[in-house]
Amino acid sequence: MDNCAVVGINWGDEGKGRMVDLLTEHYDVVVRYQGGGNAGHTVLNEYGKFALHLLPSGIFREHTVNILGNGVALDPENLLAEIKDVSSRGVTVTPDNLKISDRASLLMPWHRDLDALEEQRLGDKKYGSTKQGIAPFYSDKSQKKTVLAGELRDPKSLSDHLHELLEWKNLTLTNVYGAEPYTEESLKKWFADFCEPLVPYLCDTGSYLEEALDQGKSLLFEAQLGALRDLNFGIYPYTTSSDTLSSYAPIGSGLPSLKLTEVVGVVKAYSTCVGEGPFVCEMHGEEASRLREAGSEYGAKTGRPRRVGPLDLVATRYGVGVQAATGIALTKLDVLGYMERIPVCTRYILNGEETDRFPFPSDLEKAEPVIEYLPGWNCDISGARSWDELPKAAKDYVLFIERSLACPIIYVSVGPERESIIRR
Ligand code: GDP
């Protein structure tokens, strides 16, 4: 019984969706275990181009079962819109190939409101939230003030629970933020429109996955965002509010005792970051615009231009460690084809001293990058399908990263299409 987690090593947007789409061929079940509609996994395949926010990237494979685990912020509006979108483009989505944990909590309309209201209140000090309600959702979950998806099966007790929640939430909305309160009628309509259609998909995903393992099926866990955005080990407070690490995959899926056998850490050949917070290697001006354009670095969810920079090996080494990666998928190597020489950050200077350790979050503000340059390859490598087809300078760049990370690079991606991959 094989199982594997595909996780982000950096700030997210590393190309996880593309890797999961490729790897799903070898797995029976694909599970999303944390996060919600705040990320966008871009997948390009025979059905077209998709930015999947909640649906697992295995949804395109005919024989793959897709699971939204208990750790996910279940956003019914986003999920239904996504099901509708992929279905209208020829992809089959039924309760046979999509299962939603009955232990997943529902992301309510007020979570999105509170996210936006708090960012507005913070003004210049905002975190750069995607305003998808993720932070208010997870804080309510910790306060035990969310609705579990399984409650949808019992309308009477759900209605009592909602009554209590509504009273409590309206206190914050009106008294803290001066916003409009929700009414029971508006909530009832919201449940009828967006939640009831999801009832047929509800499932005890823990039991389902246990049975799948007993039957010898293989599981692929698909993470959202990256190690540097993890709530506990990321650049706090510029993190997300969920656990983006591979070690959370068994918990957020419903199989807390599972040991992962493989962890593929996805690393982009250069660095990008969306939102606020320290980004030691950030490029500016013309140099940044050129890289942003070459890599089409605009947020899949928000369309925001991403901050860009050279590959930060200090942060990446840290990410590989906390993700417990057993192998690396290096993506977007083709994007660097225009560079005469490739900048790489190998160390930081902090308080006048060189270090290769990733520092405490607030020290990052003071860190300066040490940049080294490797020869560029100055050509289009997007047609390469084997290691030997890569120019020497591109191979040297990959090998340099591999040595520095002390983790084997097992895939090199040279384009967004499924087949644009080199297996090593
Ligand atoms: P994710 O959230 O980690 O799945 O990453 P995103 O979907 O936000 O960003 C990755 C973007 O890069 C998507 O538009 C992909 O289609 C694209 N992409 C992935 N791998 C490659 C690659 O090797 N080369 C190029 N040029 N684009 C890639």
Side-chain angles (χ1 to χ4, degrees):
M1 298 156 297
D2 249 5
N3 65 68
C4 170
V6 177
V7 295
I9 295 295
N10 302 100
W11 287 264
D13 308 317
E14 297 94 344
K16 295 174 294 296
R18 176 251 186 289
M19 287 311 300
V20 176
D21 179 61
L22 178 79
L23 297 174
T24 44
E25 190 184 352
H26 310 292
Y27 292 86
D28 301 302
V29 186
V30 178
V31 193
R32 284 275 316 264
Y33 59 89
Q34 45 76 227
N38 51 332
H41 291 180
T42 311
V43 174
L44 193 58
N45 57 27
E46 70 268 28
Y47 292 101
K49 186 173 181 181
F50 299 85
L52 297 181
H53 303 295
L54 277 146
L55 282 176
S57 304
I59 200 72
F60 304 104
R61 303 269 188 189
E62 205 180 326
H63 302 293
T64 306
V65 173
N66 296 273
I67 293 202
L68 291 172
N70 49 277
V72 161
L74 184 62
D75 176 341
E77 287 180 55
N78 257 327
L79 180 58
L80 274 190
E82 236 176 285
I83 293 175
K84 206 165 152 197
D85 175 45
V86 300
S87 305
S88 72
R89 293 161 74 185
V91 181
T92 306
V93 184
T94 69
D96 289 332
N97 71 346
L98 175 67
K99 299 187 186 294
I100 301 172
S101 168
D102 51 10
R103 283 178 172 267
S105 289
L106 296 177
L107 188 137
M108 305 288 290
W110 52 57
H111 290 133
R112 237 188 295 275
D113 295 347
L114 287 168
D115 203 350
L117 288 164
E118 179 57 12
E119 283 284 281
Q120 199 181 346
R121 189 191 71 80
L122 285 167
D124 288 351
K125 296 198 168 64
K126 67 180 192 289
Y127 294 122
S129 165
T130 54
K131 302 196 185 110
Q132 294 300 308
I134 302 299
F137 166 87
Y138 279 107
S139 63
D140 279 5
K141 184 171 175 179
S142 296
Q143 289 199 68
K144 297 154 291 184
K145 299 267 200 229
T146 51
V147 176
L148 297 184
E151 290 182 63
L152 295 170
R153 295 182 186 125
D154 182 349
K156 169 71 185 83
S157 86
L158 173 63
S159 165
D160 295 344
H161 188 189
L162 274 179
H163 183 78
E164 275 171 41
L165 283 183
L166 183 69
E167 205 172 71
W168 173 74
K169 192 50 86 181
N170 277 343
L171 287 174
T172 315
L173 281 165
T174 56
N175 296 323
V176 177
Y177 294 104
E180 285 295 311
Y182 277 84
T183 61
E184 296 215 17
E185 290 65 42
S186 65
L187 269 192
K188 274 194 186 132
K189 178 160 175 17
W190 184 81
F191 270 86
D193 290 349
F194 299 111
C195 300
E196 280 166 24
L198 296 179
V199 171
Y201 297 91
L202 296 182
C203 167
D204 172 352
T205 56
S207 301
Y208 178 86
L209 288 170
E210 254 167 45
E211 270 172 41
L213 283 176
D214 287 346
Q215 291 163 8
K217 294 199 171 146
S218 52
L219 317 181
L220 185 67
F221 299 93
E222 176 178 10
Q224 184 226 34
L225 295 170
L228 307 176
R229 296 294 192 209
D230 180 74
L231 180 60
N232 287 282
F233 295 93
I235 305 172
Y236 190 88
Y238 300 101
T239 61
T240 192
S241 302
S242 69
D243 303 83
T244 62
L245 300 188
S246 64
S247 48
Y248 189 73
I251 298 173
S253 308
L255 282 175
S257 61
L258 183 82
K259 301 262 181 301
L260 292 173
T261 46
E262 201 185 342
V263 178
V264 175
V266 187
V267 174
K268 203 184 281 191
Y270 50 94
S271 301
T272 63
C273 161
V274 181
E276 311 296 320
F279 184 41
V280 177
C281 289
E282 185 160 13
M283 280 176 174
H284 298 279
E286 182 52 32
E287 199 186 14
S289 306
R290 184 94 198 264
L291 181 52
R292 186 176 300 114
E293 290 311 314
S296 308
E297 296 297 348
Y298 295 89
K301 180 81 204 177
T302 57
R304 285 187 286 188
R306 292 177 182 149
R307 298 158 77 190
V308 298
L311 181 60
D312 181 339
L313 287 172
V314 182
T316 306
R317 248 190 319 267
Y318 174 77
V320 168
V322 291
Q323 287 288 21
T326 57
I328 301 286
L330 184 70
T331 61
K332 299 191 112 167
L333 189 65
D334 53 303
V335 171
L336 302 182
Y338 73 91
M339 288 187 178
E340 293 288 325
R341 53 182 198 157
I342 317 276
V344 200
C345 167
T346 50
R347 294 175 302 279
Y348 292 165
I349 297 174
L350 186 62
N351 302 324
E353 289 187 16
E354 280 200 7
T355 177
D356 56 9
R357 279 182 62 96
F358 193 63
F360 185 73
S362 55
D363 284 343
L364 276 172
E365 304 277 8
K366 296 180 275 177
E368 298 283 335
V370 175
I371 304 287
E372 292 182 29
Y373 291 89
L374 275 78
W377 44 94
N378 271 293
C379 63
D380 178 8
I381 57 165
S382 59
R385 295 292 175 267
S386 71
W387 180 245
D388 289 341
E389 286 172 65
L390 285 178
K392 180 173 181 313
K395 284 187 199 163
D396 287 347
Y397 182 65
V398 175
L399 294 174
F400 181 85
I401 297 168
E402 186 172 67
R403 274 195 304 277
S404 167
L405 300 181
C407 187
I409 295 181
I410 50 179
Y411 297 98
V412 178
S413 170
V414 291
E417 304 82 11
R418 211 178 249 174
E419 64 279 5
S420 305
I421 198 84
I422 294 169
R423 292 177 172 84
R424 286 183 72 219

